[in-house]
Amino acid sequence: DDGNFFTTYYHRYKIVYAEAVADDEKPVYRNSITDWYKVDKEVYYDNANFLGMTIASKTKDGGMSDARHPPGYQYVGNPRYGTWRRDSSGGSFWEFYGKYAMLSTVMGMFRRPVYRSGWDDYRRYQSQGRPYYGPNREYGTSGSYTKRTNRSFFQRRRQRDIARRTRFSDRVGQRVRRSSMSGFRSRSSGFGK
């Protein structure tokens, strides 16, 4: 939000959670979108590259993780949620068990399988404390998948950038005109002396 003197920064989050059910039943997954929260400039810019990604999640032991990664990667590799399978080419990919299959839909997860090589990269990045943007960097603010699934965000951003450039051009034009006018006045004031 651009004001006259200060810029205000906002975030909105998608929260995904499972409702408690009996062990033998399918879990019920829900998601909600929060209202817009005013955030500090540092928080805004610290997370500017992570649009559409997980920025906080619960760990297996119930703790919290602030690892940045595509939605749902924290469940891949956990034998509670699924298993590794082989495709016709011999590649190893993750398959969720039936009762957890809705995770990918609710979370807006990957539209193609997570292959073992990509998951190994994810784990390496996480151990180094680095964000993981997917095997082809398709997630995050600059990712191709993010751009396809968040079109309204990028349209608003483009309109805001155009408006910002227009305001800048207008201000420069006004200054140039004022500068030209003041130079003309200073030259003309010397006549008759």
Side-chain angles (χ1 to χ4, degrees), residues 60 73-84 94 116 119:
K60 291 178 190 177
Y73 265 67
Q74 70 270 29
Y75 297 107
V76 175
N78 184 335
R80 176 179 176 197
Y81 296 102
T83 188
W84 292 104
W94 183 255
R116 186 68 179 243
W119 187 69

Side-chain angles (χ1 to χ4, degrees), residues 84-105:
W84 292 104
R85 299 271 186 225
R86 295 257 177 222
D87 65 14
S88 59
S89 303
S92 181
F93 69 95
W94 183 255
E95 181 177 74
F96 282 103
Y97 296 134
K99 71 181 195 173
Y100 297 111
M102 284 300 294
L103 268 173
S104 62
T105 303

Side-chain angles (χ1 to χ4, degrees), residues 185-193:
R185 278 193 301 258
S186 66
R187 284 192 302 267
S188 63
S189 64
F191 293 117
K193 286 190 177 179

Side-chain angles (χ1 to χ4, degrees), residues 47 50 54-59 63-69 126 129 131:
N47 291 286
F50 307 124
T54 296
I55 60 170
S57 61
K58 282 192 173 183
T59 60
M64 289 297 294
S65 169
D66 64 356
R68 272 68 167 161
H69 52 78
Q126 296 304 299

Side-chain angles (χ1 to χ4, degrees), residues 38 41 81 89 115 144 160 172-173:
K38 188 175 178 180
K41 180 180 181 178
Y81 296 102
S89 303
Y115 281 89
S144 58
R160 189 176 59 240
V172 168

Side-chain angles (χ1 to χ4, degrees), residues 161-175:
D161 289 346
I162 290 169
R164 190 175 292 138
R165 282 193 298 269
T166 301
R167 285 192 307 266
F168 177 75
S169 293
D170 289 348
R171 284 192 304 253
V172 168
Q174 289 171 356
R175 287 181 183 152

Side-chain angles (χ1 to χ4, degrees), residues 14-26:
K14 180 179 184 178
I15 299 171
V16 179
Y17 57 96
E19 287 187 351
V21 293
D23 284 342
D24 59 338
E25 292 182 40
K26 254 185 175 177

